[in-house]
Amino acid sequence: MEKHLDKKLEKLSDKMMQESGLEKPSFNFTNAVMERVEKVSANQITEYKPLISKQAWFVIAVALLPIAYIIVNNSSSSNSNWFDVIDFNSLFNYQFIDNMFSVTVSKTVLYTIVLFGLMLCVQIPILKNHFDKRFEV
């Protein structure tokens, strides 16, 4: 049944191809298309604006540096409570919140977090430069 249907479709397509013939584009087809492309690309140039400006990155860095300094300097023992640096008890007197901020962090985890943050700060400009070069025209 399918072979019969396939043969009918093949005969129909062959007949349509013979009747339609070859179509040829106009003499200046390529030039006309290229002119339109140039007009569109010239009209729609977008200027790159970063989502986070350089001033905002500077403010973020200035805000994170003291936090990293406090974390590194207050990790004298292997199980330091680095949430104890900030006194949250005066703001909240709930047992749940007291238990939540009594988390102990080992030096290894603390160093891992700091190094991860540093590596992230190093890799972002490198990747940005890579993608800027890749998308240059």
Side-chain angles (χ1 to χ4, degrees), residues 44-82:
Q44 297 178 350
I45 294 176
T46 57
E47 183 179 334
Y48 172 74
K49 293 181 183 178
L51 293 176
I52 302 175
S53 65
K54 289 182 181 182
Q55 293 87 4
W57 279 116
F58 180 74
V59 170
I60 291 169
V62 168
L64 290 179
L65 284 175
I67 293 171
Y69 178 77
I70 290 171
I71 290 172
V72 170
N73 282 342
N74 289 332
S75 64
S76 59
S77 66
S78 63
N79 291 329
S80 64
N81 294 335
W82 59 286

mmCIF file of all heavy atoms in Angstrom, residues 44-82:
data_model
loop_
_atom_site.group_PDB
_atom_site.id
_atom_site.type_symbol
_atom_site.label_atom_id
_atom_site.label_comp_id
_atom_site.label_asym_id
_atom_site.label_seq_id
_atom_site.Cartn_x
_atom_site.Cartn_y
_atom_site.Cartn_z
ATOM 1 N N GLN A 44 20.630 49.415 11.670
ATOM 2 C CA GLN A 44 20.357 48.760 12.945
ATOM 3 C C GLN A 44 21.621 48.440 13.733
ATOM 4 O O GLN A 44 21.728 47.391 14.340
ATOM 5 C CB GLN A 44 19.547 47.493 12.711
ATOM 6 C CG GLN A 44 18.186 47.769 12.113
ATOM 7 C CD GLN A 44 17.419 46.499 11.852
ATOM 8 O OE1 GLN A 44 17.962 45.410 11.947
ATOM 9 N NE2 GLN A 44 16.158 46.633 11.522
ATOM 10 N N ILE A 45 22.594 49.321 13.730
ATOM 11 C CA ILE A 45 23.799 49.102 14.519
ATOM 12 C C ILE A 45 23.455 49.369 15.978
ATOM 13 O O ILE A 45 22.916 50.420 16.323
ATOM 14 C CB ILE A 45 24.937 50.023 14.051
ATOM 15 C CG1 ILE A 45 25.368 49.645 12.646
ATOM 16 C CG2 ILE A 45 26.110 49.961 15.014
ATOM 17 C CD1 ILE A 45 26.407 50.555 12.057
ATOM 18 N N THR A 46 23.763 48.412 16.835
ATOM 19 C CA THR A 46 23.500 48.575 18.257
ATOM 20 C C THR A 46 24.806 48.778 18.990
ATOM 21 O O THR A 46 25.807 48.116 18.711
ATOM 22 C CB THR A 46 22.778 47.340 18.835
ATOM 23 O OG1 THR A 46 23.574 46.188 18.583
ATOM 24 C CG2 THR A 46 21.408 47.167 18.219
ATOM 25 N N GLU A 47 24.793 49.676 19.910
ATOM 26 C CA GLU A 47 25.981 49.961 20.692
ATOM 27 C C GLU A 47 26.002 49.055 21.911
ATOM 28 O O GLU A 47 24.992 48.906 22.596
ATOM 29 C CB GLU A 47 25.974 51.424 21.128
ATOM 30 C CG GLU A 47 27.216 51.832 21.882
ATOM 31 C CD GLU A 47 27.174 53.291 22.279
ATOM 32 O OE1 GLU A 47 26.485 54.082 21.604
ATOM 33 O OE2 GLU A 47 27.815 53.633 23.272
ATOM 34 N N TYR A 48 27.144 48.465 22.177
ATOM 35 C CA TYR A 48 27.283 47.560 23.327
ATOM 36 C C TYR A 48 27.337 48.371 24.605
ATOM 37 O O TYR A 48 28.146 49.287 24.752
ATOM 38 C CB TYR A 48 28.551 46.719 23.193
ATOM 39 C CG TYR A 48 28.848 45.925 24.428
ATOM 40 C CD1 TYR A 48 28.105 44.798 24.743
ATOM 41 C CD2 TYR A 48 29.856 46.307 25.294
ATOM 42 C CE1 TYR A 48 28.363 44.080 25.879
ATOM 43 C CE2 TYR A 48 30.123 45.588 26.429
ATOM 44 C CZ TYR A 48 29.378 44.472 26.726
ATOM 45 O OH TYR A 48 29.638 43.755 27.862
ATOM 46 N N LYS A 49 26.457 48.033 25.529
ATOM 47 C CA LYS A 49 26.462 48.629 26.858
ATOM 48 C C LYS A 49 26.435 47.486 27.860
ATOM 49 O O LYS A 49 25.517 46.661 27.840
ATOM 50 C CB LYS A 49 25.240 49.524 27.064
ATOM 51 C CG LYS A 49 25.236 50.760 26.202
ATOM 52 C CD LYS A 49 24.028 51.615 26.472
ATOM 53 C CE LYS A 49 24.011 52.815 25.545
ATOM 54 N NZ LYS A 49 22.827 53.648 25.757
ATOM 55 N N PRO A 50 27.419 47.410 28.738
ATOM 56 C CA PRO A 50 27.450 46.313 29.699
ATOM 57 C C PRO A 50 26.312 46.423 30.704
ATOM 58 O O PRO A 50 25.829 47.523 31.008
ATOM 59 C CB PRO A 50 28.814 46.471 30.378
ATOM 60 C CG PRO A 50 29.183 47.901 30.179
ATOM 61 C CD PRO A 50 28.558 48.317 28.890
ATOM 62 N N LEU A 51 25.883 45.269 31.214
ATOM 63 C CA LEU A 51 24.816 45.271 32.208
ATOM 64 C C LEU A 51 25.286 45.899 33.510
ATOM 65 O O LEU A 51 24.533 46.585 34.196
ATOM 66 C CB LEU A 51 24.345 43.836 32.469
ATOM 67 C CG LEU A 51 23.635 43.149 31.306
ATOM 68 C CD1 LEU A 51 23.324 41.713 31.666
ATOM 69 C CD2 LEU A 51 22.364 43.892 30.959
ATOM 70 N N ILE A 52 26.531 45.633 33.868
ATOM 71 C CA ILE A 52 27.103 46.192 35.090
ATOM 72 C C ILE A 52 28.262 47.083 34.678
ATOM 73 O O ILE A 52 29.231 46.624 34.074
ATOM 74 C CB ILE A 52 27.577 45.073 36.040
ATOM 75 C CG1 ILE A 52 26.402 44.158 36.384
ATOM 76 C CG2 ILE A 52 28.173 45.667 37.305
ATOM 77 C CD1 ILE A 52 26.787 42.965 37.219
ATOM 78 N N SER A 53 28.178 48.370 35.027
ATOM 79 C CA SER A 53 29.205 49.320 34.609
ATOM 80 C C SER A 53 30.479 49.134 35.428
ATOM 81 O O SER A 53 30.507 48.420 36.435
ATOM 82 C CB SER A 53 28.684 50.746 34.781
ATOM 83 O OG SER A 53 28.477 51.011 36.159
ATOM 84 N N LYS A 54 31.545 49.809 35.008
ATOM 85 C CA LYS A 54 32.818 49.713 35.718
ATOM 86 C C LYS A 54 32.705 50.285 37.126
ATOM 87 O O LYS A 54 33.311 49.774 38.063
ATOM 88 C CB LYS A 54 33.914 50.432 34.938
ATOM 89 C CG LYS A 54 34.305 49.717 33.673
ATOM 90 C CD LYS A 54 35.431 50.423 32.959
ATOM 91 C CE LYS A 54 35.779 49.674 31.684
ATOM 92 N NZ LYS A 54 36.887 50.292 30.976
ATOM 93 N N GLN A 55 31.930 51.355 37.273
ATOM 94 C CA GLN A 55 31.741 51.934 38.602
ATOM 95 C C GLN A 55 31.022 50.963 39.527
ATOM 96 O O GLN A 55 31.361 50.850 40.715
ATOM 97 C CB GLN A 55 30.952 53.253 38.516
ATOM 98 C CG GLN A 55 31.695 54.367 37.815
ATOM 99 C CD GLN A 55 31.507 54.348 36.314
ATOM 100 O OE1 GLN A 55 30.757 53.542 35.773
ATOM 101 N NE2 GLN A 55 32.215 55.226 35.613
ATOM 102 N N ALA A 56 30.035 50.240 39.002
ATOM 103 C CA ALA A 56 29.311 49.263 39.825
ATOM 104 C C ALA A 56 30.235 48.117 40.225
ATOM 105 O O ALA A 56 30.176 47.641 41.371
ATOM 106 C CB ALA A 56 28.098 48.738 39.069
ATOM 107 N N TRP A 57 31.106 47.647 39.293
ATOM 108 C CA TRP A 57 32.060 46.594 39.647
ATOM 109 C C TRP A 57 33.003 47.082 40.744
ATOM 110 O O TRP A 57 33.374 46.326 41.645
ATOM 111 C CB TRP A 57 32.868 46.151 38.430
ATOM 112 C CG TRP A 57 32.136 45.174 37.566
ATOM 113 C CD1 TRP A 57 31.738 45.351 36.288
ATOM 114 C CD2 TRP A 57 31.708 43.852 37.930
ATOM 115 N NE1 TRP A 57 31.082 44.244 35.825
ATOM 116 C CE2 TRP A 57 31.057 43.304 36.814
ATOM 117 C CE3 TRP A 57 31.799 43.101 39.081
ATOM 118 C CZ2 TRP A 57 30.504 42.025 36.828
ATOM 119 C CZ3 TRP A 57 31.264 41.825 39.094
ATOM 120 C CH2 TRP A 57 30.624 41.309 37.982
ATOM 121 N N PHE A 58 33.402 48.351 40.673
ATOM 122 C CA PHE A 58 34.281 48.910 41.696
ATOM 123 C C PHE A 58 33.583 48.927 43.054
ATOM 124 O O PHE A 58 34.177 48.556 44.070
ATOM 125 C CB PHE A 58 34.716 50.328 41.293
ATOM 126 C CG PHE A 58 35.630 50.974 42.286
ATOM 127 C CD1 PHE A 58 36.948 50.575 42.381
ATOM 128 C CD2 PHE A 58 35.166 51.977 43.124
ATOM 129 C CE1 PHE A 58 37.793 51.157 43.304
ATOM 130 C CE2 PHE A 58 35.994 52.564 44.047
ATOM 131 C CZ PHE A 58 37.325 52.160 44.144
ATOM 132 N N VAL A 59 32.326 49.329 43.080
ATOM 133 C CA VAL A 59 31.565 49.349 44.343
ATOM 134 C C VAL A 59 31.401 47.932 44.890
ATOM 135 O O VAL A 59 31.554 47.702 46.101
ATOM 136 C CB VAL A 59 30.183 50.026 44.131
ATOM 137 C CG1 VAL A 59 29.281 49.842 45.332
ATOM 138 C CG2 VAL A 59 30.371 51.497 43.816
ATOM 139 N N ILE A 60 31.132 46.979 44.024
ATOM 140 C CA ILE A 60 30.995 45.582 44.465
ATOM 141 C C ILE A 60 32.313 45.079 45.048
ATOM 142 O O ILE A 60 32.337 44.430 46.096
ATOM 143 C CB ILE A 60 30.524 44.697 43.292
ATOM 144 C CG1 ILE A 60 29.081 45.042 42.923
ATOM 145 C CG2 ILE A 60 30.647 43.220 43.638
ATOM 146 C CD1 ILE A 60 28.608 44.414 41.626
ATOM 147 N N ALA A 61 33.419 45.387 44.379
ATOM 148 C CA ALA A 61 34.728 44.952 44.878
ATOM 149 C C ALA A 61 35.044 45.594 46.216
ATOM 150 O O ALA A 61 35.541 44.936 47.142
ATOM 151 C CB ALA A 61 35.810 45.279 43.855
ATOM 152 N N VAL A 62 34.747 46.899 46.358
ATOM 153 C CA VAL A 62 35.005 47.595 47.620
ATOM 154 C C VAL A 62 34.141 47.014 48.732
ATOM 155 O O VAL A 62 34.570 46.913 49.878
ATOM 156 C CB VAL A 62 34.773 49.113 47.446
ATOM 157 C CG1 VAL A 62 34.732 49.836 48.770
ATOM 158 C CG2 VAL A 62 35.846 49.697 46.551
ATOM 159 N N ALA A 63 32.945 46.572 48.399
ATOM 160 C CA ALA A 63 32.065 45.984 49.419
ATOM 161 C C ALA A 63 32.508 44.576 49.798
ATOM 162 O O ALA A 63 32.359 44.168 50.958
ATOM 163 C CB ALA A 63 30.625 45.962 48.914
ATOM 164 N N LEU A 64 33.052 43.816 48.866
ATOM 165 C CA LEU A 64 33.438 42.435 49.151
ATOM 166 C C LEU A 64 34.807 42.303 49.805
ATOM 167 O O LEU A 64 35.047 41.321 50.513
ATOM 168 C CB LEU A 64 33.395 41.608 47.867
ATOM 169 C CG LEU A 64 32.005 41.344 47.309
ATOM 170 C CD1 LEU A 64 32.113 40.542 46.021
ATOM 171 C CD2 LEU A 64 31.140 40.611 48.302
ATOM 172 N N LEU A 65 35.696 43.254 49.577
ATOM 173 C CA LEU A 65 37.031 43.168 50.174
ATOM 174 C C LEU A 65 37.006 43.151 51.708
ATOM 175 O O LEU A 65 37.683 42.313 52.317
ATOM 176 C CB LEU A 65 37.927 44.284 49.655
ATOM 177 C CG LEU A 65 38.452 44.073 48.236
ATOM 178 C CD1 LEU A 65 39.222 45.288 47.758
ATOM 179 C CD2 LEU A 65 39.313 42.834 48.170
ATOM 180 N N PRO A 66 36.247 44.022 52.368
ATOM 181 C CA PRO A 66 36.214 43.944 53.845
ATOM 182 C C PRO A 66 35.602 42.630 54.347
ATOM 183 O O PRO A 66 36.045 42.088 55.365
ATOM 184 C CB PRO A 66 35.345 45.130 54.262
ATOM 185 C CG PRO A 66 35.338 46.037 53.113
ATOM 186 C CD PRO A 66 35.553 45.209 51.901
ATOM 187 N N ILE A 67 34.631 42.118 53.624
ATOM 188 C CA ILE A 67 34.018 40.849 54.045
ATOM 189 C C ILE A 67 35.039 39.723 53.953
ATOM 190 O O ILE A 67 35.164 38.900 54.869
ATOM 191 C CB ILE A 67 32.773 40.551 53.184
ATOM 192 C CG1 ILE A 67 31.680 41.582 53.467
ATOM 193 C CG2 ILE A 67 32.253 39.147 53.448
ATOM 194 C CD1 ILE A 67 30.503 41.512 52.529
ATOM 195 N N ALA A 68 35.800 39.686 52.860
ATOM 196 C CA ALA A 68 36.839 38.668 52.726
ATOM 197 C C ALA A 68 37.918 38.843 53.786
ATOM 198 O O ALA A 68 38.417 37.859 54.345
ATOM 199 C CB ALA A 68 37.453 38.730 51.327
ATOM 200 N N TYR A 69 38.274 40.079 54.090
ATOM 201 C CA TYR A 69 39.281 40.344 55.124
ATOM 202 C C TYR A 69 38.804 39.857 56.491
ATOM 203 O O TYR A 69 39.559 39.227 57.233
ATOM 204 C CB TYR A 69 39.587 41.847 55.163
ATOM 205 C CG TYR A 69 40.582 42.229 56.218
ATOM 206 C CD1 TYR A 69 41.933 41.994 56.033
ATOM 207 C CD2 TYR A 69 40.170 42.830 57.406
ATOM 208 C CE1 TYR A 69 42.848 42.339 57.001
ATOM 209 C CE2 TYR A 69 41.074 43.179 58.382
ATOM 210 C CZ TYR A 69 42.422 42.932 58.174
ATOM 211 O OH TYR A 69 43.320 43.266 59.132
ATOM 212 N N ILE A 70 37.557 40.124 56.817
ATOM 213 C CA ILE A 70 37.001 39.674 58.109
ATOM 214 C C ILE A 70 36.980 38.155 58.177
ATOM 215 O O ILE A 70 37.331 37.557 59.193
ATOM 216 C CB ILE A 70 35.575 40.259 58.302
ATOM 217 C CG1 ILE A 70 35.658 41.763 58.549
ATOM 218 C CG2 ILE A 70 34.862 39.573 59.454
ATOM 219 C CD1 ILE A 70 34.309 42.461 58.523
ATOM 220 N N ILE A 71 36.592 37.517 57.093
ATOM 221 C CA ILE A 71 36.523 36.048 57.087
ATOM 222 C C ILE A 71 37.903 35.444 57.276
ATOM 223 O O ILE A 71 38.088 34.510 58.064
ATOM 224 C CB ILE A 71 35.877 35.555 55.773
ATOM 225 C CG1 ILE A 71 34.395 35.901 55.760
ATOM 226 C CG2 ILE A 71 36.075 34.063 55.599
ATOM 227 C CD1 ILE A 71 33.716 35.625 54.437
ATOM 228 N N VAL A 72 38.891 35.955 56.571
ATOM 229 C CA VAL A 72 40.234 35.391 56.655
ATOM 230 C C VAL A 72 40.858 35.666 58.026
ATOM 231 O O VAL A 72 41.484 34.785 58.614
ATOM 232 C CB VAL A 72 41.122 35.942 55.519
ATOM 233 C CG1 VAL A 72 42.572 35.559 55.712
ATOM 234 C CG2 VAL A 72 40.608 35.431 54.190
ATOM 235 N N ASN A 73 40.693 36.857 58.570
ATOM 236 C CA ASN A 73 41.314 37.195 59.851
ATOM 237 C C ASN A 73 40.628 36.543 61.040
ATOM 238 O O ASN A 73 41.256 36.360 62.087
ATOM 239 C CB ASN A 73 41.340 38.701 60.054
ATOM 240 C CG ASN A 73 42.447 39.339 59.260
ATOM 241 O OD1 ASN A 73 43.374 38.664 58.826
ATOM 242 N ND2 ASN A 73 42.340 40.632 59.057
ATOM 243 N N ASN A 74 39.377 36.198 60.945
ATOM 244 C CA ASN A 74 38.664 35.604 62.072
ATOM 245 C C ASN A 74 38.631 34.091 62.018
ATOM 246 O O ASN A 74 37.889 33.459 62.750
ATOM 247 C CB ASN A 74 37.234 36.139 62.138
ATOM 248 C CG ASN A 74 37.198 37.571 62.572
ATOM 249 O OD1 ASN A 74 38.081 38.031 63.289
ATOM 250 N ND2 ASN A 74 36.197 38.302 62.130
ATOM 251 N N SER A 75 39.439 33.491 61.173
ATOM 252 C CA SER A 75 39.463 32.038 61.083
ATOM 253 C C SER A 75 40.704 31.492 61.776
ATOM 254 O O SER A 75 41.466 30.731 61.221
ATOM 255 C CB SER A 75 39.423 31.596 59.628
ATOM 256 O OG SER A 75 40.588 32.047 58.979
ATOM 257 N N SER A 76 40.914 31.873 63.035
ATOM 258 C CA SER A 76 42.118 31.454 63.750
ATOM 259 C C SER A 76 42.068 29.975 64.133
ATOM 260 O O SER A 76 43.080 29.300 64.142
ATOM 261 C CB SER A 76 42.316 32.318 64.984
ATOM 262 O OG SER A 76 41.185 32.199 65.826
ATOM 263 N N SER A 77 40.899 29.458 64.454
ATOM 264 C CA SER A 77 40.792 28.038 64.769
ATOM 265 C C SER A 77 40.154 27.309 63.592
ATOM 266 O O SER A 77 39.569 27.924 62.717
ATOM 267 C CB SER A 77 39.947 27.829 66.030
ATOM 268 O OG SER A 77 38.620 28.212 65.772
ATOM 269 N N SER A 78 40.272 25.988 63.602
ATOM 270 C CA SER A 78 39.744 25.232 62.465
ATOM 271 C C SER A 78 38.222 25.234 62.427
ATOM 272 O O SER A 78 37.628 25.055 61.383
ATOM 273 C CB SER A 78 40.260 23.803 62.492
ATOM 274 O OG SER A 78 39.787 23.150 63.653
ATOM 275 N N ASN A 79 37.566 25.436 63.534
ATOM 276 C CA ASN A 79 36.102 25.490 63.578
ATOM 277 C C ASN A 79 35.665 26.847 64.109
ATOM 278 O O ASN A 79 35.186 26.965 65.230
ATOM 279 C CB ASN A 79 35.535 24.377 64.463
ATOM 280 C CG ASN A 79 35.737 23.021 63.851
ATOM 281 O OD1 ASN A 79 35.752 22.901 62.640
ATOM 282 N ND2 ASN A 79 35.902 22.013 64.681
ATOM 283 N N SER A 80 35.843 27.873 63.330
ATOM 284 C CA SER A 80 35.476 29.209 63.796
ATOM 285 C C SER A 80 34.047 29.522 63.384
ATOM 286 O O SER A 80 33.564 29.074 62.359
ATOM 287 C CB SER A 80 36.430 30.250 63.204
ATOM 288 O OG SER A 80 36.293 30.276 61.810
ATOM 289 N N ASN A 81 33.382 30.287 64.197
ATOM 290 C CA ASN A 81 32.030 30.747 63.891
ATOM 291 C C ASN A 81 32.155 32.115 63.247
ATOM 292 O O ASN A 81 32.254 33.124 63.928
ATOM 293 C CB ASN A 81 31.187 30.838 65.164
ATOM 294 C CG ASN A 81 30.952 29.490 65.786
ATOM 295 O OD1 ASN A 81 30.997 28.490 65.086
ATOM 296 N ND2 ASN A 81 30.724 29.457 67.082
ATOM 297 N N TRP A 82 32.152 32.164 61.934
ATOM 298 C CA TRP A 82 32.374 33.439 61.267
ATOM 299 C C TRP A 82 31.126 34.294 61.204
ATOM 300 O O TRP A 82 31.185 35.441 60.816
ATOM 301 C CB TRP A 82 33.018 33.256 59.909
ATOM 302 C CG TRP A 82 32.282 32.427 58.915
ATOM 303 C CD1 TRP A 82 32.149 31.095 58.924
ATOM 304 C CD2 TRP A 82 31.593 32.888 57.762
ATOM 305 N NE1 TRP A 82 31.429 30.674 57.850
ATOM 306 C CE2 TRP A 82 31.083 31.758 57.115
ATOM 307 C CE3 TRP A 82 31.366 34.127 57.207
ATOM 308 C CZ2 TRP A 82 30.357 31.851 55.950
ATOM 309 C CZ3 TRP A 82 30.647 34.208 56.039
ATOM 310 C CH2 TRP A 82 30.147 33.082 55.426
#
